[in-house]
Amino acid sequence: MSDPTAPNNTEDPLEPLEEQPSEELAKAYDPTEIEARWYPIWNEAGVFGASAADTLEGEQPPYVVMMPPPNVTGTLHNGHALFVTLQDILVRYHRMQGYNTLWLPGVDHAGISTQAVVERELRRHEGLSRHDLGREVFIERVWEWKERNGSRIVEQLKVLGASADWSRERFTLDEQCSRAVRTAFVRLWDEGLIYRGERLINWDPVTRTALSNEEVDHEERAGELWQFAYRCSDDSGEIVVATTRPETMLGDTAVAVNPDDERYAGFVGKALVHPYFPDREFFVIADKHVDREFGTGAVKVTPAHDPNDFAIGERHGLEVINIFELDATLNKNGGPFAGLDRDEARKRVKADLTVRGMARGAEAILHSVSISSRSGETVEPMLSRQYFVSAGPLAEKACAAIDELGQTEIIPAGWKSTWDHFMKNIQDWCISRQLWWGHRIPVFYERAGLESAVREDARRRGEQTVALSALESGADTRELLQIALDSLDEELVRGFSTASIDDLCAGPDGDRYLQEDDVLDTWFSAGLWPFSTLGWPDETDDLRAFYPSAVLETGFDILFFWVARMMMFGCHFMGEAPFRHIFLHAMIRDSQGRKMSKSLGNAIDPLDVIEGITLEDLLIKTRSYPVPESLLPRVLEGLKKDYPDGIPASGADGLRFSLAALAGQGRDVKLSIPRVAGYRAFLNKIWNATRFALMSLGGARPQPLSETKGDLSLADRWILSRLQAASDRVAAGIEGYRFDEAANGIYQFFWNEFCDWYIELVKESLGDSAPEARREAARSVLIEVLDASMRILHPICPFQTEEIWQRLPGRKERWAGADGVDVVFCATAPFPVADDSWRDDDAEREFDFIIRVVTRLRNLRLENNLPPNQRIPAILCSESHSIRHSVTELSDSICRLARLESLAVHSNDGYEIPQQAAVGTDPDFIVVLPLEGLIDLDAERTRLAKELATAQKQLDGFEKKLGNPSYVERAPANVVAETRERAQRCMESIAASKASLARL
RNA sequence: UGGCACGUAGCUCAGUGGGAGAGCGCCGCCCUGACACGGCGGAGGUCGGCGGUUCGAAACCGCCCGUGCCAACCA
């Protein structure tokens, strides 16, 4: 298909395509080859770049999406694939609409995960811990790791086609983001919205750091409610308590009962004996928190290791005894059990109390256990000094932005109530982490100030404090700092921290100043993402042009981790919510609805879907996952059964289309490979339809539609009208975040309308026997529909559409210069806007008749067991002039589609049905196949009887309605009229069927 | 315990007040001029149950059953 009229543009990167036309396309669809080619071409051509100036000068409205930064340790999983697909659809769609589109990408430093990965490597390869290296060297190592591996996830996003502006890529720990973090911290500190305080926090004994509440998962587990007795010190009796954690009794400082509980009325105020610490003050107290029905109705109180007990302790002024080291082994307060791990301690405490005769039985219980989402270990509540953000005032602003200012809308709206519940009950946010990799908390202590504060503290208390002893014994500065921070009042600490942070961070004077050891929660920097990436705190052009963004698209699982924090920080620091829409997509699950996880062995690697994988490799890969031994055989058998031929390569386009089609709102996305294969078949269909079209053009450059408008056939007008509906449907789907609608819209149009009907019909018009004008018109419609279809599909399947679009003759010239843009890509061509002048209701109605006629005829043929190749004559009778007219116009095509020899058209009384004939009825017409000697009488009788029964059932329904006076009276007139009409036509069908039956 | 979803064909789901739909799977026929990753035709559903509102309910309301998610409690 060498095109002699094409300009000989030697700079065109696509020139090879134009040189090897239909032969090239004649090959089967191969996504791998196509997809490797286009991404660098777009990227280098600057297709993905945004320009602040264009918006600030009023030329182009912005459309901005902040990419949720994947973890630097991450490898591509389906969650990434889903968010990239959905966001890229939004971004590409708006880019094609002419918006100044910015999709800002980046990577998260992922504090705990990254540190853990590097520590593991260090241990494995060098047998060292991070403490062996020291903080500075270790952090250097992490940066080295990041330089080596950190771009992997980014490259994988590109494989998916992510059209992000990589020139603006950010890392949460780069200098720009770090400065934003320091600034934000200091402002919040100065405003009193960050404080340092001693609270009961969630301690992860494995990673040895505090966690925020959101980082703790709750899991139902079978446990044991174990009972034991405390003796009264006056030997007047005992009180039995129930617990799931017997070892914490070592930190008990009271037993609480409900004040209204008569059973224990006599005990309140009595002293108890702690079996291991007989000197401990230990009383029975009354507190209404205690549930009389649960357990024994008496609760052991461990203020240091249980949030409720902590609260009780505060109310009653109880002593708080921490019994754990940071790794959850018992400290010296564990008495005889000191040094034991908490699980071992539990066994030993139970055994020992049993020996002492204090055990009082046990019952099984299902209770929820707090698990660290970081390490999977049981979280230990610990009393600890940490930094907190006062979330209340910030949450109020975030809620006001939604409820009062209407700046942001949550979609789907169902999440609003979850949001409200969380935000109204929000707890202060623990932001300090005992890690090294992250934003070190920008709090500095002046040594001189510290020393005087220690002396002041000691003087005030009138005693030799621990800190003072340390100072006097010449402890080094850092040790002194630690001791001082643990023992000084918060006010004193505040007094000598300093706020000239940037200078200090640039080069702190180690002798004079000491910086806080802890780093900030990863989500602190993530919370600043919508503006730290644009240059905040500086008033940059980017910030002015691109804040706030259009939509924040992410999974609902990080609504509170991330979205809420961005809303709070955005409203607080920028004075305006960071996005207009919050769109929350569902979770990806396997085809049975289970969460995908490597340890279940059901995780599908998106790259395997894109590139394909053999069964053999899939099995090898799954064996490397941490699947429990007991499960593994079943998992492998399942894979062999589900993927006997492995997973076929569907390309990024195939995966993207599948994810879009499956992403119905408010539902989990159940990813099934057969389903993906089905959508991949759609892309193959497109490929082949294009091959047909290009072949039919035979190298000719089609005329624009405007030239052929006068020669359009019914089918031409029909498909052009349907095209408008399709572009509307897809646009509405994308704009309404109904990606399934968008995908189905183009799928149905292209396959069921364009391929199944239009292309089949147009073959007639393209043939040698058709008049030249007819052929010209058909070609221009073919190319127009393909062009528009590729542009409609482009946001979902960018690679294949670009490949095909570039090959359509005359396309680039046609769209170059539109909107003053030099368009050379499908990616930057305008998204088709439905044009009402091409809508044609008459054509749609008439063509619908053609579809019904052909379907009826095909049905008749098959039900009468006619050989497929046997050409036979047919007759159509209808009272409707327009049906007769349309059918006559397209009778050649109908003959082809229904494999007829001829098709005669009559009015109902213009034709007498012969004795032996198959008759198909429709409310608007009947079709007849005269089958003298051919008809399968039994088959035809069965068919007619069935047809009759269906029509009769329908008619019964209509007549029942029409026989109901209140229906006729109350239902809208047009509804009643329509029912009457349909009943009438039903009766005619029935009459025709009966007559046919009688004839046989 | 509370909140929110969901329950429609074998499977996955669309359909929010007037004719029960799609994809895959299944059955039958066909390599019909791009496509067997294809074409054509077909079978298959008391729309979870009960009650209510309405001339009319898969859809709206109430209750029940079932499933899932989130949150709280959990001595």
Side-chain angles (χ1 to χ4, degrees):
Chain A
M1 186 206 66
S2 164
D3 185 349
T5 65
N8 188 13
N9 183 354
T10 50
E11 287 170 27
D12 190 337
L14 305 169
E15 195 189 50
L17 291 182
E18 305 206 343
E19 279 179 352
Q20 9 170 310
S22 55
E23 290 83 3
E24 172 87 10
L25 206 57
K27 286 194 309 190
Y29 169 53
D30 175 12
T32 315
E33 189 267 335
I34 295 171
E35 295 182 1
R37 180 140 32 93
W38 282 106
Y39 198 91
I41 297 176
W42 287 322
N43 203 17
E44 283 157 28
V47 167
F48 307 152
S51 149
D54 286 351
T55 285
L56 293 175
E57 287 160 17
E59 283 178 15
Q60 257 188 316
Y63 184 84
V64 181
V65 177
M66 293 292 165
M67 182 188 289
N71 286 356
V72 64
T73 50
T75 52
L76 195 72
H77 57 61
N78 288 294
H80 298 126
L82 182 62
F83 92 63
V84 166
T85 298
L86 302 188
Q87 289 172 37
D88 201 38
I89 290 172
L90 291 168
V91 161
R92 285 181 183 268
Y93 170 79
H94 284 92
R95 183 179 295 123
M96 292 174 79
Q97 295 228 317
Y99 285 90
N100 185 15
T101 302
L102 170 60
W103 189 16
L104 198 150
V107 177
D108 192 284
H109 67 279
I112 297 182
S113 328
T114 312
Q115 177 163 324
V117 167
V118 178
E119 280 188 284
R120 199 180 318 134
E121 238 178 45
L122 195 60
R123 203 172 311 122
R124 189 177 306 157
H125 298 311
E126 302 170 49
L128 299 174
S129 80
R130 72 176 203 257
H131 300 281
D132 295 327
L133 296 186
R135 184 169 189 140
E136 267 176 48
V137 177
F138 178 75
I139 288 176
E140 251 170 59
R141 288 293 187 92
V142 185
W143 276 106
E144 278 169 27
W145 184 92
K146 192 253 173 190
E147 295 313 317
R148 268 202 321 276
N149 306 298
S151 58
R152 183 175 47 175
I153 183 71
V154 166
E155 292 312 309
Q156 290 176 327
L157 300 181
K158 290 178 181 173
V159 168
L160 286 164
S163 66
D165 184 352
W166 299 104
S167 72
R168 286 183 163 84
E169 181 184 347
R170 299 249 65 93
F171 180 52
T172 49
L173 215 50
D174 65 21
E175 181 45 34
Q176 181 178 316
C177 291
S178 297
R179 197 157 71 91
V181 165
R182 293 194 296 270
T183 308
F185 185 96
V186 172
R187 283 203 197 164
L188 290 172
W189 177 269
D190 289 343
E191 290 162 345
L193 291 172
I194 286 181
Y195 63 91
R196 184 170 176 275
E198 189 168 46
R199 297 282 185 283
L200 204 63
I201 48 91
N202 306 296
W203 184 261
D204 181 336
V206 175
T207 57
R208 298 205 194 180
T209 177
L211 299 174
S212 66
N213 294 340
E214 289 69 41
E215 287 167 301
V216 176
D217 297 330
H218 303 281
E219 213 172 275
E220 286 280 303
R221 285 194 186 166
E224 175 192 58
L225 193 59
W226 196 73
Q227 303 188 349
F228 68 95
Y230 280 122
R231 258 200 308 274
C232 296
S233 59
D234 60 5
D235 268 342
S236 61
E238 63 175 36
I239 192 160
V240 179
V241 295
T243 179
T244 53
R245 300 198 53 192
E247 76 280 14
T248 61
M249 64 85 68
L250 298 167
D252 281 359
T253 50
V255 167
V257 297
N258 190 291
D260 301 326
D261 193 335
E262 302 82 21
R263 292 175 295 176
Y264 298 113
F267 283 89
V268 176
K270 279 197 175 177
L272 299 172
V273 184
H274 195 289
Y276 304 112
F277 307 102
D279 298 336
R280 186 176 291 175
E281 274 196 29
F282 192 36
F283 293 96
V284 178
I285 57 173
D287 193 288
K288 58 187 179 316
H289 166 78
V290 178
D291 177 358
R292 284 187 279 180
E293 308 304 319
F294 194 94
T296 61
V299 188
K300 57 187 275 308
V301 183
T302 323
H305 301 290
D306 181 280
N308 289 311
D309 290 7
F310 184 75
I312 293 176
E314 288 211 310
R315 284 197 285 273
H316 297 268
L318 299 178
E319 192 184 353
V320 179
I321 300 173
N322 181 1
I323 61 168
F324 289 115
E325 300 287 354
L326 296 182
D327 60 357
T329 56
L330 289 169
N331 64 16
K332 59 181 172 14
N333 292 330
F337 305 97
L340 293 177
D341 171 80
R342 58 186 162 171
D343 293 325
E344 183 60 25
R346 180 174 306 173
K347 286 182 204 149
R348 301 274 285 269
V349 167
K350 280 167 68 177
D352 191 69
L353 285 174
T354 305
V355 168
R356 290 166 183 248
M358 305 307 283
R360 293 293 181 270
E363 56 183 287
I365 185 178
L366 198 63
H367 66 138
S368 134
V369 180
S370 298
I371 310 291
S372 162
S373 60
R374 298 295 154 195
S375 65
E377 188 57 49
T378 308
V379 162
E380 192 59 55
M382 295 260 222
L383 195 63
S384 169
R385 275 184 213 278
Q386 303 285 344
Y387 287 84
F388 295 86
V389 169
S390 298
L394 297 174
E396 263 175 47
K397 286 189 189 179
C399 287
I402 293 178
D403 297 329
E404 287 152 41
L405 304 174
Q407 290 173 351
T408 303
E409 184 188 351
I410 300 179
I411 303 159
W415 288 104
K416 178 64 168 49
S417 54
T418 310
W419 164 274
D420 283 341
H421 182 260
F422 177 83
M423 293 303 264
K424 304 253 147 70
N425 298 289
I426 195 163
Q427 311 261 312
D428 283 357
W429 170 19
C430 175
I431 50 171
S432 42
R433 297 288 180 276
Q434 288 64 54
L435 307 169
W436 289 352
W437 177 244
H439 299 276
R440 193 161 171 183
I441 291 180
V443 169
F444 293 81
Y445 303 97
E446 198 182 358
R447 182 172 173 117
L450 185 70
E451 288 179 4
S452 61
V454 165
R455 294 210 166 84
E456 163 68 13
D457 182 50
R459 191 192 55 76
R460 212 174 50 189
R461 297 196 205 181
E463 61 185 80
Q464 178 82 3
T465 63
V466 179
L468 187 60
S469 320
L471 180 61
E472 286 171 348
S473 66
D476 80 13
T477 310
R478 178 143 296 283
E479 192 185 335
L480 175 63
L481 171 67
Q482 208 50 57
I483 294 165
L485 288 182
D486 282 345
S487 58
L488 292 190
D489 283 354
E490 297 308 326
E491 289 71 28
L492 287 170
V493 173
R494 259 189 119 87
F496 60 83
S497 72
T498 173
S500 56
I501 301 300
D502 272 352
D503 294 346
L504 288 169
C505 286
D509 179 339
D511 286 335
R512 285 187 59 203
Y513 296 103
L514 285 167
Q515 183 171 5
E516 184 65 66
D517 265 335
D518 293 353
V519 301
L520 288 167
D521 182 3
T522 294
W523 297 102
F524 190 92
S525 54
L528 304 168
W529 194 244
F531 45 98
S532 66
T533 50
L534 296 173
W536 188 86
D538 292 337
E539 283 271 337
T540 60
D541 283 353
D542 274 5
L543 194 61
R544 284 186 292 135
F546 299 127
Y547 187 94
S549 60
V551 59
L552 187 278
E553 197 286 330
T554 192
F556 62 78
D557 53 330
I558 52 176
L559 181 59
F560 302 126
F561 274 119
W562 191 42
V563 183
R565 271 85 183 249
M566 286 191 290
M567 281 294 286
M568 295 194 291
F569 283 168
C571 292
H572 186 72
F573 292 114
M574 297 294 297
E576 185 180 1
F579 10 80
R580 291 191 294 279
H581 289 165
I582 295 170
F583 175 70
L584 299 167
H585 64 239
M587 295 292 104
I588 298 222
R589 297 179 182 274
D590 73 1
S591 57
Q592 292 151 53
R594 295 176 308 175
K595 207 167 175 173
M596 278 201 194
S597 86
K598 285 189 176 176
S599 50
L600 278 177
N602 67 343
I604 298 172
D605 184 336
L607 291 173
D608 292 340
V609 178
I610 292 172
E611 293 162 10
I613 185 169
T614 62
L615 174 62
E616 205 183 5
D617 288 346
L618 189 60
L619 294 175
I620 292 170
K621 193 165 181 171
T622 304
R623 280 200 195 94
S624 75
Y625 291 158
V627 183
E629 279 305 315
S630 56
L631 270 175
L632 193 60
R634 212 177 333 145
V635 167
L636 296 180
E637 279 314 306
L639 289 175
K640 283 181 201 162
K641 191 164 144 274
D642 290 345
Y643 312 116
D645 305 312
I647 296 177
S650 294
D653 281 338
L655 177 62
R656 289 169 60 118
F657 194 93
S658 305
L659 291 173
L662 295 169
Q665 266 185 26
R667 257 184 208 267
D668 290 335
V669 178
K670 289 184 192 164
L671 189 63
S672 88
I673 293 303
R675 200 70 188 263
V676 176
Y679 291 123
R680 146 95 220 236
F682 174 56
L683 300 184
N684 189 54
K685 186 77 180 177
I686 292 175
W687 188 258
N688 284 304
T690 309
R691 283 178 56 207
F692 168 78
L694 293 183
M695 200 183 283
S696 311
L697 293 178
R701 170 153 306 208
Q703 295 182 353
L705 262 185
S706 52
E707 298 291 317
T708 59
K709 201 165 182 177
D711 297 313
L712 298 183
S713 68
L714 171 59
D716 294 336
R717 288 183 286 124
W718 172 76
I719 197 66
L720 289 169
S721 184
R722 297 305 302 151
L723 175 64
Q724 313 311 314
S727 77
D728 249 3
R729 187 175 167 196
V730 174
I734 294 174
E735 283 173 24
Y737 304 104
R738 290 298 311 261
F739 301 97
D740 55 333
E741 264 294 302
N744 285 327
I746 186 64
Y747 183 99
Q748 283 169 17
F749 169 75
F750 198 91
W751 200 325
N752 303 136
E753 298 181 325
F754 182 58
C755 290
D756 288 352
W757 290 100
Y758 184 76
I759 287 188
E760 289 310 317
L761 276 173
V762 87
K763 284 173 179 169
E764 206 66 34
S765 303
L766 292 168
D768 291 339
S769 55
E772 184 56 27
R774 186 77 280 288
R775 282 201 298 219
E776 275 300 333
R779 287 170 182 158
S780 63
V781 173
L782 256 186
I783 210 76
E784 171 68 22
V785 173
L786 270 179
D787 173 16
S789 297
M790 290 311 102
R791 285 180 287 132
I792 291 173
L793 180 59
H794 181 81
I796 306 179
C797 300
F799 296 105
Q800 193 202 23
T801 51
E802 186 73 73
E803 177 81 13
I804 289 176
W805 190 83
Q806 294 284 347
R807 293 168 188 271
L808 302 179
R811 290 306 102 182
K812 292 204 283 176
E813 291 78 2
R814 172 171 174 193
W815 294 110
D819 296 331
V821 181
D822 186 21
V823 179
V824 289
F825 294 107
C826 184
T828 48
F831 189 89
V833 176
D835 179 347
D836 286 341
S837 70
W838 286 109
R839 287 188 205 268
D840 192 333
D841 291 344
D842 292 339
E844 294 211 9
R845 197 178 51 251
E846 286 172 29
F847 199 83
D848 185 54
F849 292 142
I850 306 295
I851 291 176
R852 275 154 62 192
V853 168
V854 170
T855 306
R856 218 78 200 83
L857 285 164
R858 284 168 171 167
N859 170 258
L860 274 190
R861 291 189 64 108
L862 275 158
E863 299 275 327
N864 277 288
N865 300 318
L866 289 180
N869 289 323
Q870 182 156 19
R871 299 249 167 194
I872 46 166
I875 298 94
L876 174 132
C877 301
S878 176
E879 279 307 296
S880 157
H881 177 76
S882 92
I883 292 183
R884 295 204 303 269
H885 177 82
S886 320
V887 168
T888 305
E889 187 191 332
L890 287 177
S891 81
D892 284 354
S893 304
I894 294 174
C895 287
R896 251 174 45 82
L897 297 179
R899 317 206 125 247
L900 303 176
E901 178 189 285
S902 63
L903 177 62
V905 177
H906 298 280
S907 64
N908 281 358
D909 49 8
Y911 176 73
E912 190 170 333
I913 300 169
Q915 202 64 29
Q916 290 208 2
V919 179
T921 61
D922 179 283
D924 290 304
F925 58 82
I926 59 174
V927 284
V928 182
L929 299 180
L931 296 172
E932 184 87 34
L934 290 173
I935 193 163
D936 182 335
L937 286 176
D938 286 339
E940 179 62 3
R941 276 197 203 96
T942 312
R943 195 190 61 77
L944 275 170
K946 202 172 74 184
E947 200 168 275
L948 187 61
T950 310
Q952 187 64 50
K953 206 170 142 193
Q954 272 193 341
L955 182 63
D956 290 349
F958 295 142
E959 286 184 335
K960 194 177 160 200
K961 273 187 176 178
L962 292 168
N964 179 351
S966 55
Y967 171 73
V968 181
E969 200 177 308
R970 299 206 193 188
N974 63 324
V975 172
V976 176
E978 198 186 323
T979 307
R980 284 221 171 87
E981 204 178 305
R982 287 172 49 204
Q984 180 60 33
R985 285 185 299 185
C986 235
M987 272 155 40
E988 284 164 21
S989 293
I990 288 168
S993 298
K994 280 185 175 159
S996 305
L997 265 179
R999 262 193 308 276
L1000 289 174

